[in-house]
Amino acid sequence: MIREQQQPASIIKSGTHTIKCYDELGENIDLTTVHSFGEEWKAFHQFEDEEIRKIGDTYFDIVSKDMVGADKIAADFGCGTGRWSKYFHTKVGSVAAIDPSEAVLAAGELLSGIENIHLYKASIDNLPFSDNYFDFGFSLGVLHHIPDTQKAMNACVQKIKPGGHFLVYLYYNLDNRGLLYKTLFSFSNLIRRVVSRMPDTLKRITCNIMAVIFYMPFVLFSRVLKVLGVSKKMRSRVPLHSYENTSFYIIRNDALDRFGTPLEQRFSRHQIQQMMEIAGLNNIIFSEQAPYWHAVGQKK
Ligand SMILES: C[S@@+](CC[C@H](N)C(=O)[O-])C[C@H]1O[C@@H](n2cnc3c(N)ncnc32)[C@H](O)[C@@H]1O
């Protein structure tokens, strides 16, 4: 069971889930970005279990057995469709999956029938739980979409018990990449600034086209190299190599995420380490594998 500290303003139903809604979102939130994600997750919310497992393994590779267990309560801060809650729920007693966007409705469907996941429509800036409540928290691809990322990370860690753990994935600023990557990124970032301002339908169509013309040439090149027996180390130099084994559905979803989101920020590994320390974490471990950067720390 998960206990909240505040009464919800309303309750909505989706799938087998009852979603508790908290209307007070706080100030540290970008409402245009949240709306954009609501639209994104309405379009993309049907994930195969096998794909969730495969991609989930890459995010949770640094989570060890001692951090989880049936007696532990976890929080998924910025759950979107709840796909990582779905990946993680068997490893703990229960999960609070939290998101301020309409994505929670899609999450209700994706997580239908899973009784140990509880859904909350709420913002990280106004979490309805006591401080030091959760044993484990994760926030994957979320905090860089919030205006003050450090403040948002502090708010998540505040809800973790001393000795508990927090796993975070934040967009990297290509600090481990060469000039080609950085040039391609600057170019794609210019496109994002234009595409993210488009009306929802036009944005979705444009991002589908981007998936075909921007992502697929690199992905197919990496796949051909694999067939030719080129080593993984060499292939990892191809931009977007991490999508080599990913379905076109996920690539289209990520293209919409990448080009359609108004607010995104990027951080170096060093900056993320500092942010985690400021938030009150130590024993910080970074994964050396993509997606960059994801790291786990223990609350002091
Ligand atoms: C890129 S999506 C990631 C969703 C999910 N973690 C995943 O990887 O599938 C970012 C999510 O952050 C949520 N978000 C944005 N601002 C937020 C805030 N202030 N509090 C909580 N979630 C927020 C969005 O609604 C969106 O669903």
Side-chain angles (χ1 to χ4, degrees):
M1 252 331 268
I2 291 185
R3 225 171 315 121
E4 306 87 37
Q5 213 185 16
Q6 299 167 27
Q7 287 297 317
S10 58
I11 287 180
I12 49 178
K13 285 201 156 254
S14 176
T16 56
H17 285 274
T18 297
I19 305 170
K20 295 182 176 164
C21 304
Y22 295 84
D23 294 345
E24 184 50 61
L25 299 176
E27 287 174 2
N28 193 20
I29 187 165
D30 186 89
L31 293 175
T32 321
T33 296
V34 168
H35 167 81
S36 174
F37 278 118
E39 293 300 309
E40 175 179 329
W41 298 128
K42 270 189 229 163
F44 293 98
H45 55 269
Q46 278 156 353
F47 302 104
E48 299 290 332
D49 285 353
E50 179 53 20
E51 190 126 46
I52 290 180
R53 191 196 57 72
K54 220 168 49 183
I55 305 175
D57 281 349
T58 68
Y59 283 111
F60 289 87
D61 58 338
I62 44 180
V63 174
S64 54
K65 286 208 171 74
D66 58 300
M67 299 179 194
V68 295
D71 57 333
K72 300 221 176 351
I73 304 177
D76 178 354
F77 300 108
C79 64
T81 54
R83 54 188 170 165
W84 309 133
S85 288
K86 190 170 190 188
Y87 172 90
F88 196 67
H89 78 103
T90 54
K91 298 171 177 33
V92 288
S94 44
V95 181
I98 307 146
D99 201 286
S101 76
E102 296 297 311
V104 285
L105 294 170
E109 296 288 336
L110 186 77
L111 304 171
S112 201
I114 304 181
E115 289 179 1
N116 71 336
I117 302 180
H118 306 270
L119 285 168
Y120 299 89
K121 188 166 187 285
S123 159
I124 285 172
D125 213 27
N126 185 27
L127 292 164
F129 310 99
S130 320
D131 292 351
N132 308 317
Y133 182 64
F134 296 100
D135 301 281
F136 192 94
F138 56 96
S139 188
L140 303 177
V142 176
L143 305 183
H144 46 231
H145 296 303
I146 297 183
D148 186 337
T149 300
Q150 176 74 68
K151 187 171 173 228
M153 190 186 288
N154 296 349
C156 295
V157 175
Q158 200 175 354
K159 301 297 169 190
I160 309 289
K161 281 180 191 162
H165 293 86
F166 180 65
L167 172 73
V168 67
Y169 160 53
L170 288 174
Y171 285 164
Y172 71 147
N173 68 1
L174 295 102
D175 43 337
N176 59 347
R177 296 293 189 185
L179 193 62
L180 171 65
Y181 251 89
K182 287 182 174 145
T183 310
L184 280 172
F185 170 71
S186 309
F187 175 62
S188 74
N189 205 35
L190 280 179
I191 299 176
R192 178 183 65 82
R193 285 173 191 274
V194 177
V195 174
S196 65
R197 290 187 169 90
M198 291 176 173
D200 295 328
T201 307
L202 181 61
K203 187 198 285 187
R204 214 167 41 245
I205 294 168
T206 308
C207 290
N208 279 336
I209 296 170
M210 300 300 298
V212 174
I213 62 170
F214 197 83
Y215 282 62
M216 287 318 284
F218 291 115
V219 173
L220 292 176
F221 183 52
S222 190
R223 283 179 191 168
V224 169
L225 293 182
K226 189 177 179 187
V227 171
L228 294 176
V230 175
S231 71
K232 191 170 176 189
K233 193 168 172 214
M234 286 297 289
R235 298 197 314 273
S236 72
R237 296 193 181 159
V238 177
L240 303 173
H241 150 81
S242 57
Y243 289 100
E244 189 181 77
N245 299 316
T246 307
S247 67
F248 185 52
Y249 184 81
I250 297 276
I251 291 173
R252 281 171 53 224
N253 180 184
D254 280 13
L256 181 56
D257 205 290
R258 175 70 195 86
F259 291 104
T261 306
L263 174 69
E264 70 158 49
Q265 303 172 78
R266 289 182 171 260
F267 303 94
S268 68
R269 178 175 175 150
H270 178 66
Q271 285 172 319
I272 296 169
Q273 170 91 26
Q274 280 186 328
M275 287 165 75
M276 291 176 81
E277 285 169 4
I278 290 170
L281 299 164
N282 61 7
N283 299 327
I284 295 165
I285 301 167
F286 274 79
S287 175
E288 299 304 329
Q289 310 296 326
Y292 303 117
W293 293 109
H294 63 287
V296 67
Q298 185 171 34
K299 184 162 172 185
K300 288 178 198 159

